Amino acid sequence: MGFAGCLQEKETFLCAPRLTKAALKEIRYVVNGEENTTEETVFGISDLPDGEYDVIVSAKDILGKEVSAKVSVKKDVAEPVLSITGAPTSSVEKATLGIEADGGVSGIKEIRVNGKPYTGKTYEVTENGTYVFEVENNAGSVTTKSITIQCIVKPTPAPTLAPVPGSS
């Protein structure tokens, strides 16, 4: 008997023991110093704060054979944090918006502007419109902020003086 593996998705852990012909008797797991017992190969851990944990999972068959595996997991159910600064309040030719993002325990997977991946810490706006900023963390949570800019003005070209007929 051995472990085929353990997977984590949000707060659910799936552990797949490879068994001999003997049936599975129990699964024990220790998280944050607390031992729990279950007969299920899929179990949830929901009473812990966000953080990184080592989960020790042990499976025992009815013949008493036991195997253990240590799995490092990150619990991150908090939404990522996104802040957009620098929106102009008066007429400007362009605006530079600041992007501050925090993905939490799992980290940032991707930042997007208007649905396209973006890697900068600032974003230059040269056209009026609504801009949609998103941050996705590695746990799959997404936070979205929209900002509408309506004070971008195009520079007016300097007038060209036409020569007056008959003048030199």
Side-chain angles (χ1 to χ4, degrees):
M1 179 170 79
F3 273 102
C6 291
L7 302 173
Q8 175 199 10
E9 184 175 308
K10 295 261 185 188
E11 298 179 40
T12 302
F13 298 86
L14 169 63
C15 290
R18 277 184 262 132
L19 300 173
T20 59
K21 295 184 185 206
L24 180 65
K25 181 178 180 183
E26 71 177 12
I27 292 180
R28 288 188 334 271
Y29 60 96
V30 179
V31 122
N32 214 25
E34 184 177 323
E35 184 172 319
N36 300 278
T37 303
T38 182
E39 294 178 359
E40 304 296 323
T41 58
V42 176
F43 54 91
I45 300 173
S46 59
D47 57 345
L48 295 171
D50 284 5
E52 296 183 46
Y53 298 93
D54 287 330
V55 179
I56 300 169
V57 182
S58 302
K60 184 187 285 186
D61 68 15
I62 60 173
L63 298 176
K65 293 184 181 176
E66 186 171 347
V67 341
S68 293
K70 181 179 176 182
V71 182
S72 294
V73 295
K74 292 180 182 179
K75 181 179 175 192
D76 188 1
V77 295
E79 297 294 317
V81 177
L82 177 62
S83 175
I84 308 301
T85 58
T89 56
S90 60
S91 296
V92 293
E93 290 181 24
K94 66 180 179 179
T96 301
L97 304 177
I99 304 169
E100 294 181 32
D102 182 353
V105 173
S106 65
I108 295 172
K109 177 180 178 182
E110 183 175 67
I111 295 175
R112 295 181 288 274
V113 179
N114 294 332
K116 296 179 183 172
Y118 190 75
T119 58
K121 298 285 184 192
T122 60
Y123 186 79
E124 189 171 289
V125 175
T126 58
E127 299 285 332
N128 289 321
T130 299
Y131 296 84
V132 179
F133 295 83
E134 298 173 293
V135 60
E136 180 178 359
N137 67 14
N138 288 304
S141 298
V142 177
T143 296
T144 302
K145 300 271 181 173
S146 294
I147 187 165
T148 300
I149 306 290
Q150 296 180 327
C151 53
I152 302 291
V153 293
K154 298 293 180 193
T156 306
T160 314
L161 298 176
V164 176
S167 65
S168 28

